[in-house]
Amino acid sequence: MSQEIAVIGSPDFTTGFRLAGVRKFADVTEDEKAAELDDAVQGMLTDDEVGILVMHEDDLEHLSRGVRNDVETSVEPVLVTLGGEGAGSGGLREQIKRAIGIDLMEED
């Protein structure tokens, strides 16, 4: 069974992914984040067709504690965050390690 990439965020954030062919997305505007972001994330987490969930790093701060814990510990789908102040290879390295179970960049 092949799985899809899903993206959640502001319309500005999701547009590029949609143009690239990502079919599963949830647009959540800044005004709606407090009320709708948790529901959008939970919906994607329970969707068996989603293998990778993409969000903006800053949007994690808008999630409730329980949903944030669920998304950060989820193996399938795996969360990939982009942007934010702490953007760098260290965060991506941890995300890849969590997704596949090994550290590809580990030196012997």
Side-chain angles (χ1 to χ4, degrees):
M1 177 174 92
S2 66
Q3 293 184 308
E4 295 189 46
I5 296 172
V7 62
I8 298 174
S10 69
D12 290 339
F13 182 74
T14 63
T15 297
F17 291 95
R18 291 184 298 155
L19 291 171
V22 173
R23 294 177 294 188
K24 291 194 176 276
F25 66 93
D27 285 335
V28 182
T29 64
E30 287 293 325
D31 297 338
E32 300 171 329
K33 281 186 184 175
E36 296 185 20
L37 192 60
D38 276 358
D39 290 340
V41 170
Q42 287 177 323
M44 294 296 184
L45 287 176
T46 58
D47 187 336
D48 292 335
E49 294 180 356
V50 176
I52 298 172
L53 177 58
V54 180
M55 293 180 65
H56 194 281
E57 178 77 29
D58 295 341
D59 286 346
L60 293 180
E61 296 174 14
H62 297 280
L63 295 174
S64 66
R65 181 177 293 151
V67 174
R68 183 175 179 152
N69 183 57
D70 290 346
V71 78
E72 287 180 340
T73 59
S74 176
V75 175
E76 191 174 301
V78 65
L79 172 68
V80 175
T81 56
L82 302 174
E85 292 180 27
S89 63
L92 183 58
R93 179 180 180 175
E94 287 302 313
Q95 291 171 15
I96 292 169
K97 188 169 129 179
R98 186 175 72 224
I100 64 174
I102 60 170
D103 187 350
L104 295 175
M105 301 167 90
E106 183 177 64
E107 296 181 20
D108 293 330

